[in-house]
Amino acid sequence: MKLSVRMAALLAPALLLTAACAPSTSDNSSSGEDEKTGTLRVWLFQEVNNKPKEQVVESVIDDFQKAHEDTKVSVEYIPVETRAQRIKAAFNDPKSAPDVIEYGNTDTAGYVKDGGLADVTADFNAWDEAKDSDPTARQSVTVDGKVYGAPFFVGVRALYYRTDVFDELGLKAPKTQAELISTAKEIHAAKPDLYGIAVGGAYTYGAMPFIWANGGELATGKGTSFASAIDSADAQKGIKAYTSLFGDDNCPAAKCAGMGGNDTVTAFASGKAAMAIGGDFSHQAVEAGSVKGKYAVVPLPGVESGSIAPAFAGGNNIGVLKSTSHRTLAVDLMQQLASKKTQGELFDAMGFLPTYADVRDEAAEKDSFVEPFVETLGAETRFVPASPAWAQIDASLVLPTMFQEIVSGKKDVAAAAGDAAAKMDDAFGSAG
């Protein structure tokens, strides 16, 4: 998931209670109808700077409506942070549900288990452009050999840094994780009004590279059988490295513990941070900020000098809800939104990396900004456990809670990681 990203943020206690008590899916069966006119409802994710995305989507919708007489499309942009609750409710109430949704690739298995997504295998295989989707992107819409959507964009994160600040202080882009941490603290010491690097206690996908770079894993296993590994010795090294960036010497816990990915990008774009871990999908928001022309991007460094920290292989998909009464129209709109033309335009507008290898190559040729992200994609990338339990783990904020307990001083790394591991194992067990 852009997710992108652009993933889970700290929710209010009442919202957490809602997530914990969300009813099980009760009625998400196919409507059995396939109306060729009427209104299609679409839910897409709200971005940090959403206007360019809206303009691309509006163009797609205009063309779609011209091609389908007596058909209207209503688009709503929903917050990424509350997607779990909104989409779960839609699965439970088909009458108020959208026909087409954007969803994070980490959510696929869970949504399929809930019975909310339509099987579009035949439609996808018959779609001429589908053959050019890269294998990783296609895997992100596939569960047990069946396809439940179309890849929308692929996303990885890298290190954005302020060239003006680095030049002023005589600094170079860090080559190791240790250099990243020390450089962040050196910058904050020299410029107390700046976070050396903006980090967030709710920025799960910004923290994961630290865990993976230190040899840790989120979980081990395959198929329907997983066990948490977040409390392993190597994982704890990565957790300790990431949480060391919270404090008065870089990003005060009181301000940064609740920050999610969008918050850290906003801090960087607005000139409040000298560095941030942002995605290719963050490019437009940064360009629209006060740091335009004063930043560069390099792959996030790993533990060894010159290495690249394994990045989360994120991205979003477009799917059709099983409950739609406009299946043919919904599949057509899904394909138009995920087409090569649209993905190329979304790259130009938002910096989203296309899921088609040929379109991505074209993007890299015309914009050098893509290079560190393509380089990161070419290095080792990782994914979350391919289990329906991950949606529950994500929605329950298991990992953000762990980070926040550590940076607030409530628990040490071992205790917080152990508690998180127990919650993950409970989720894996209930999903299996």
Side-chain angles (χ1 to χ4, degrees), residues 8 11 15-16 19-20 83-85 389-398:
L11 303 181
L15 191 54
L16 287 173
R83 73 192 189 282
Q85 292 76 38
W390 185 257
Q392 178 185 338
I393 292 167
D394 193 25
S396 299
L397 305 178
V398 172

Side-chain angles (χ1 to χ4, degrees), residues 127-152:
W127 182 26
D128 184 59
E129 292 191 350
K131 69 180 186 302
D132 294 327
S133 289
D134 69 44
T136 301
R138 177 161 184 151
Q139 183 181 1
S140 76
V141 294
T142 304
V143 177
D144 294 332
K146 295 181 179 180
V147 178
Y148 291 91
F152 192 37

Side-chain angles (χ1 to χ4, degrees), residues 9 42 59 68 70 73 143 157 160 175 183 212 214 268 285 307 328 372 378 380 389:
V42 180
S59 177
H68 299 279
D70 301 320
V73 178
V143 177
R157 291 164 177 80
Y160 286 74
K175 298 289 188 181
T183 299
W212 289 324
N214 281 276
F268 181 81
S307 67
T328 298
E380 186 179 8

Side-chain angles (χ1 to χ4, degrees), residues 177 208-216 238 301-304 307-310 382:
Q177 187 179 96
M208 284 178 178
F210 289 79
I211 296 172
W212 289 324
N214 281 276
V303 172
E304 301 297 328
S307 67
I308 297 175
R382 303 284 184 88

Side-chain angles (χ1 to χ4, degrees), residues 329-345:
L329 289 172
V331 169
D332 188 9
L333 182 55
M334 174 191 78
Q335 293 175 344
Q336 295 307 309
L337 286 169
S339 69
K340 289 185 177 184
K341 178 177 182 293
T342 303
Q343 290 194 22
E345 292 174 350

Side-chain angles (χ1 to χ4, degrees), residues 89-179:
F91 290 170
N92 286 337
D93 185 13
K95 291 183 180 179
S96 64
D99 300 274
V100 176
I101 61 170
E102 177 180 358
Y103 66 92
N105 61 7
T106 61
D107 297 323
T108 307
Y111 291 170
V112 170
K113 182 185 178 184
D114 286 343
L117 294 176
D119 177 354
V120 295
T121 307
D123 309 276
F124 189 85
N125 290 338
W127 182 26
D128 184 59
E129 292 191 350
K131 69 180 186 302
D132 294 327
S133 289
D134 69 44
T136 301
R138 177 161 184 151
Q139 183 181 1
S140 76
V141 294
T142 304
V143 177
D144 294 332
K146 295 181 179 180
V147 178
Y148 291 91
F152 192 37
F153 66 85
V154 63
V156 291
R157 291 164 177 80
L159 183 67
Y160 286 74
Y161 70 98
R162 289 273 299 275
T163 52
D164 57 336
V165 173
F166 274 62
D167 288 345
E168 179 185 344
L169 299 179
L171 300 172
K172 294 183 179 180
K175 298 289 188 181
T176 67
Q177 187 179 96
E179 285 182 13

Side-chain angles (χ1 to χ4, degrees), residues 124-289:
F124 189 85
N125 290 338
W127 182 26
D128 184 59
E129 292 191 350
K131 69 180 186 302
D132 294 327
S133 289
D134 69 44
T136 301
R138 177 161 184 151
Q139 183 181 1
S140 76
V141 294
T142 304
V143 177
D144 294 332
K146 295 181 179 180
V147 178
Y148 291 91
F152 192 37
F153 66 85
V154 63
V156 291
R157 291 164 177 80
L159 183 67
Y160 286 74
Y161 70 98
R162 289 273 299 275
T163 52
D164 57 336
V165 173
F166 274 62
D167 288 345
E168 179 185 344
L169 299 179
L171 300 172
K172 294 183 179 180
K175 298 289 188 181
T176 67
Q177 187 179 96
E179 285 182 13
L180 171 65
I181 294 170
S182 63
T183 299
K185 295 179 179 181
E186 182 177 349
I187 292 170
H188 186 68
K191 294 180 172 292
D193 58 326
L194 284 180
Y195 303 137
I197 180 171
V199 288
Y203 192 9
T204 305
Y205 298 99
M208 284 178 178
F210 289 79
I211 296 172
W212 289 324
N214 281 276
E217 298 287 351
L218 303 178
T220 57
K222 61 181 179 179
T224 59
S225 179
F226 283 91
S228 176
I230 198 66
D231 58 345
S232 70
D234 287 339
Q236 287 188 45
K237 289 179 185 177
I239 295 168
K240 184 176 181 180
Y242 184 68
T243 55
S244 73
L245 290 165
F246 293 81
D248 292 339
D249 55 357
N250 176 56
C251 202
K255 295 182 178 180
C256 302
M259 287 169 55
N262 283 353
D263 298 317
T264 63
V265 170
T266 298
F268 181 81
S270 63
K272 296 178 181 178
M275 293 184 285
I277 300 168
D280 50 274
F281 42 82
S282 307
H283 181 241
Q284 184 61 36
V286 175
E287 281 288 291

Side-chain angles (χ1 to χ4, degrees), residues 10 200-201 243-247 251-258 400-413 416:
L10 181 65
T243 55
S244 73
L245 290 165
F246 293 81
C251 202
K255 295 182 178 180
C256 302
T401 298
M402 175 187 71
F403 295 129
Q404 289 155 3
E405 288 174 340
I406 295 167
V407 303
S408 68
K410 291 181 179 179
K411 296 178 182 176
D412 62 21
V413 171

